[in-house]
Amino acid sequence: MSNFKNYVNGEWTESASGETFENVNPADSRDIIGTFPKSGNADVAKAIEAASTAYKVWSAMPAPKRGDILRVAGDIFNRRKDELARVMTREMGKPVFETKGDIQEAIDTAYYSATETRRLFGYTAPSEMPNKMNLSFRMPIGVCGIITAWNFPIAVPSWKILPALACGNTIVWKPSEDSPMSANIFAEILEEAGVPKGVFNVIHGLGETGSAIVEHPDVKLIGFTGSTVTGKKIAERCGALNKKVSLEMGGKNAVIIMNDADIDLAIEGVLWGAFGTTGQRCTATSRAIVHKDVYDIFLQKLTEKTIALKLGAGLEDSTQVGPVINKKQYEKILGYIEIGKEQGARLVTGGAKAEGADVEHGNFIQPTVFADVTNDMRIFKEEIFGPVLSVSKANSYSHAIELANDCEYGLSSSIYTSDVNLAFSAIRSIEAGITYINAPTIGAEAHMPFGGIKGTGNGHREGGWTVFDIFTEWKTVYIDYSGGLQRAQIDNY
Ligand code: UN1
């Protein structure tokens, strides 16, 4: 078995304690990918020291030069796509066609960030006084602590890391303990692209490793994707320590299917949204809210298609739905299925662990659909993060919107309708950061803002041009070339 290391100041290093944790294939618990360091305060401090030193050089480099390096990183991600996709699938389970898509998001983000280094626009505005000029421009922040989840081992970290680097920040990244190997390949790629020593560091570990990053006084910003419970704790600490913090947390995303929708298209979208990545996306479709006129036909067709989904190891070409990430999630999801049954939801298909020779050693749960789910049930309200879809009946368009918004989260959403008036009305009325029309709740593009309202986020948007608001501060500059003292608000009025 291989022992993998942290990446600190351009070197592969063990943790000071020598303690490790195992990385296990979720499709086959007999397959141990390797051990990774369980890092503590001392390891984190070294990485932060390296990142602080490197910041001086990296932040002073002209942004387009940083962009040149990021562009090369995009090329290398592209070159290593097939190999990296298999590593990702082996450690986190989703099928290879999905892990390739995950890497493509990083490639898109690399090229997008590289280009934006020539376009980190500031604003100029007229001064209220003569012979005076007002400018503003973006400044990097410093050492950024990045803490991410396993479901997008490359894409989601890339949304944070690559734009942060473009802006001149340096990075200490704690990837998920369920996808550490992908993170090491990320480091190899940035090193080969020419990112200097210390600019980018990977520190493996569990929760305490993340806490050490959050607590360290030289870390100026935390970018987090993960559970709402952890995100809120991080935000509390960042509040107390006065650090900038950007959070992407849970979702309970609804799709509305109106009686004028193309039902077959809607079913395709719901299947992909609910069971793609085995339902383990923060944008996953976990609630379908279906107009009463098409409720029965929708359920009947959806059930047939759900039963036909091919469950298996993601490394098998025929697999459509992979395992869930680990034993803890496996138990949690099966627990929610029991709660659904106990609270009176009608189980239409699935509802148990999967049986069979090809799935017996992995964390496999049958794609599950509950019907007649009402808004008082826990499976309607709580994020499950697994292959479980709740279907609820709506009496009208306004009832459907009411149900969709009856939710503490606000990440993604969707409506299937052929009525243009309803589509536009839904864009305005659904409480979410992202709304799709006639498309699934998943599938965000790298160059558009990504994030949610309500319990999902804290007002930031990754992706697109908005990510640069996270990873920069504004500097305002006044240049007075009048040669005399000009007092704002006094001499000119
Ligand atoms: C996530 O699940 O953490 O929109 C992000 C999507 C993906 C990103 C999901 N591209 O489905």
Side-chain angles (χ1 to χ4, degrees):
M1 187 168 37
S2 308
N3 298 312
F4 294 94
K5 294 180 181 163
N6 289 329
Y7 181 72
V8 176
N9 204 21
E11 309 285 338
W12 294 99
T13 51
E14 316 260 0
S15 68
S17 69
E19 281 184 61
T20 59
F21 64 90
E22 279 185 350
N23 182 16
V24 182
N25 180 345
D28 185 346
S29 58
R30 298 164 303 178
D31 178 24
I32 313 288
I33 294 154
T35 64
F36 287 79
K38 220 190 240 181
S39 311
N41 285 335
D43 308 302
V44 167
K46 270 196 186 144
I48 292 168
E49 198 188 323
S52 301
T53 306
Y55 177 69
K56 296 183 190 90
V57 177
W58 184 248
S59 60
M61 185 186 280
K65 294 279 172 236
R66 296 193 294 260
D68 290 344
I69 294 173
L70 295 176
R71 192 172 296 104
V72 177
D75 293 341
I76 304 170
F77 271 115
N78 205 15
R79 192 189 78 216
R80 296 188 66 178
K81 193 174 185 180
D82 289 350
E83 165 219 348
L84 174 54
R86 298 188 77 78
V87 169
M88 291 159 74
T89 294
R90 185 175 167 211
E91 70 178 353
M92 60 68 64
K94 66 186 176 186
V96 171
F97 70 88
E98 286 200 39
T99 44
K100 282 188 189 166
D102 189 318
I103 300 164
Q104 186 59 45
E105 275 191 65
I107 297 167
D108 297 341
T109 304
Y111 294 153
Y112 182 74
S113 301
T115 303
E116 288 299 303
T117 58
R118 289 185 182 268
R119 209 166 48 175
L120 286 168
F121 294 139
Y123 297 91
T124 61
S127 168
E128 61 188 42
M129 281 168 296
N131 298 321
K132 193 178 169 202
M133 186 183 282
N134 296 354
L135 317 170
S136 62
F137 58 91
R138 292 180 184 274
M139 297 184 302
I141 291 180
V143 179
C144 297
I146 304 295
I147 301 171
T148 51
W150 46 267
N151 61 336
F152 279 83
I154 296 291
V156 169
S158 84
W159 292 356
K160 303 173 198 296
I161 291 164
L162 303 178
L165 291 175
C167 296
N169 302 287
T170 56
I171 306 288
V172 175
W173 174 28
K174 191 204 97 61
S176 166
E177 58 271 28
D178 286 309
S179 58
M181 178 122 182
S182 306
N184 281 12
I185 296 179
F186 202 124
E188 287 173 16
I189 289 173
L190 291 196
E191 182 177 278
E192 186 188 337
V195 171
K197 275 179 196 292
V199 168
F200 174 72
N201 304 275
V202 179
I203 287 282
H204 294 290
L206 313 181
E208 63 268 21
T209 314
S211 298
I213 295 174
V214 171
E215 295 297 328
H216 198 290
D218 293 341
V219 171
K220 304 299 180 203
L221 175 150
I222 297 292
F224 170 82
T225 294
S227 75
T228 302
V229 174
T230 307
K232 280 186 177 167
K233 279 191 204 151
I234 290 177
E236 275 173 29
R237 288 305 298 149
C238 287
L241 298 165
N242 193 28
K243 293 187 186 199
K244 196 169 181 183
V245 57
S246 152
L247 304 171
E248 288 302 338
M249 303 181 287
K252 190 72 193 170
N253 313 291
V255 52
I256 294 174
I257 292 140
M258 288 304 300
N259 51 354
D260 57 17
D262 175 337
I263 293 296
D264 292 319
L265 180 69
I267 286 167
E268 262 184 77
V270 170
L271 272 183
W272 173 230
F275 302 122
T277 323
T278 324
Q280 303 169 109
R281 295 196 192 200
C282 52
T283 49
T285 306
S286 53
R287 297 181 295 149
I289 297 167
V290 185
H291 192 281
K292 61 178 170 31
D293 296 351
V294 290
Y295 188 77
D296 291 336
I297 185 73
F298 170 84
L299 269 178
Q300 183 206 319
K301 288 188 170 191
L302 178 76
T303 306
E304 285 164 15
K305 297 253 181 184
T306 304
I307 292 168
L309 288 172
K310 173 80 179 76
L311 197 64
L315 290 171
E316 300 295 330
D317 287 343
S318 58
T319 294
Q320 291 171 291
V321 181
V324 301
I325 187 68
N326 55 34
K327 280 281 171 256
K328 195 171 157 212
Q329 275 301 115
Y330 176 81
E331 297 301 338
K332 182 179 160 193
I333 297 162
L334 290 175
Y336 267 112
I337 290 172
E338 288 314 308
I339 291 167
K341 291 177 192 165
E342 278 161 25
Q343 293 196 321
R346 176 161 60 98
L347 181 65
V348 186
T349 181
K353 67 180 187 176
E355 308 279 354
D358 47 344
V359 294
E360 67 179 327
H361 295 290
N363 312 319
F364 290 95
I365 296 176
Q366 297 170 358
T368 298
V369 178
F370 279 107
D372 306 345
V373 176
T374 50
N375 61 352
D376 53 340
M377 293 180 188
R378 285 182 63 192
I379 59 168
F380 182 91
K381 297 186 211 178
E382 296 173 24
E383 185 178 45
I384 299 172
F385 223 66
V388 182
L389 175 73
S390 295
V391 183
S392 306
K393 192 185 283 187
N395 300 322
S396 62
Y397 166 74
S398 49
H399 184 214
I401 294 284
E402 203 179 295
L403 286 172
N405 289 343
D406 185 1
C407 174
E408 69 176 88
Y409 298 107
L411 181 51
S412 189
S413 57
S414 158
I415 181 167
Y416 281 83
T417 178
S418 56
D419 181 336
V420 71
N421 294 343
L422 288 189
F424 275 87
S425 167
I427 291 169
R428 190 196 54 218
S429 302
I430 297 178
E431 296 166 0
I434 303 168
T435 296
Y436 289 89
I437 306 297
N438 294 327
T441 59
I442 65 176
E445 298 178 30
H447 60 293
M448 295 297 286
F450 180 92
I453 60 172
K454 296 161 88 174
T456 296
N458 67 335
H460 294 287
R461 291 291 182 274
E462 296 178 336
W465 55 97
T466 44
V467 72
F468 300 104
D469 295 332
I470 299 175
F471 290 106
T472 56
E473 293 271 17
W474 284 100
K475 165 69 65 85
T476 304
V477 182
Y478 298 101
I479 305 167
D480 191 325
Y481 55 97
S482 69
L485 171 66
Q486 300 197 87
R487 295 176 299 178
Q489 294 93 36
I490 295 172
D491 291 336
N492 52 336
Y493 289 105

